[in-house]
Amino acid sequence: MVAYEFYWLDQITGYHLIGLIPERRKNPIRITKKSVINWGERMFGKSLDIKDIFFIQLTIDENSGRIFRPDPHFITQQKI
């Protein structure tokens, strides 16, 4: 299962995990960086500045629940 881990950047204290959302859309054409950020904004509130939010796409093994994170070099390219 694909999920997204959302982070918020506070200029003083650094990065904060704000939530995890599983991907439920079946049509991959509808899944874009902008749609994922918009979804996160709706879930976690509009009081956060969208330029300070980013996400990491994760894979969760449905049998074990184990979370697989991407390579750290890939993560830096996902920032919006």
Side-chain angles (χ1 to χ4, degrees):
M1 166 179 26
V2 172
Y4 306 102
E5 203 169 55
F6 285 84
Y7 290 87
W8 169 63
L9 173 61
D10 180 319
Q11 296 297 329
I12 297 169
T13 60
Y15 295 102
H16 300 275
L17 175 65
I18 55 175
L20 180 88
I21 300 176
E23 179 59 73
R24 302 219 186 260
R25 294 174 282 193
K26 301 294 182 208
N27 185 352
I29 294 172
R30 294 182 52 220
I31 303 169
T32 64
K33 288 182 185 180
K34 177 120 176 90
S35 70
V36 173
I37 286 290
N38 288 341
W39 190 23
E41 185 179 33
R42 283 193 306 272
M43 294 299 292
F44 304 121
K46 294 188 180 228
S47 62
L48 301 174
D49 191 344
I50 197 162
K51 72 178 186 325
D52 294 330
I53 297 173
F54 72 96
F55 68 91
I56 299 170
Q57 183 176 327
L58 309 171
T59 303
I60 302 174
D61 184 282
E62 294 184 27
N63 295 323
S64 69
R66 186 172 176 195
I67 297 174
F68 299 94
R69 288 183 167 77
D71 181 284
H73 297 288
F74 179 75
I75 292 172
T76 59
Q77 296 173 3
Q78 291 294 311
K79 188 169 181 187
I80 304 244

